[in-house]
Amino acid sequence: MADRLLTVQEVAERLGTTVRFPRRLIEERRIEYVKIGRHVRIPERVVDAFVVAPTVRRLRRVA
């Protein structure tokens, strides 16, 4: 099944940010994107991976 392509607006809503943030990620080439004519789309899997990548896990407590 093909990955769903999200608009910049949809990515911003998903991340809880303004549209400026995903546009900056695109400009700085920090996130993968697809250009369809003059439209920019971001694969859903890329957004999911972006959210998980910087996640900080809790430390195991040593007793």
Side-chain angles (χ1 to χ4, degrees):
M1 185 170 144
D3 199 16
R4 182 169 170 240
L5 297 176
L6 305 173
T7 64
V8 174
Q9 179 66 42
E10 290 173 324
V11 172
E13 289 171 6
R14 215 157 180 199
L15 296 176
T17 66
T18 65
V19 176
R20 187 175 177 178
F21 181 67
R23 287 194 189 282
R24 189 179 56 172
L25 294 176
I26 291 166
E27 181 183 335
E28 295 173 357
R29 305 261 197 252
R30 292 175 49 202
I31 195 167
E32 182 182 329
Y33 64 94
V34 178
K35 283 207 69 162
I36 304 170
R38 63 187 186 116
H39 302 283
V40 174
R41 299 292 183 262
I42 303 167
E44 193 170 28
R45 66 173 168 73
V46 172
V47 177
D48 293 340
F50 179 79
V51 170
V52 172
T55 301
V56 178
R57 306 282 180 212
R58 70 180 184 98
L59 292 175
R60 282 184 68 185
R61 196 169 177 187
V62 180

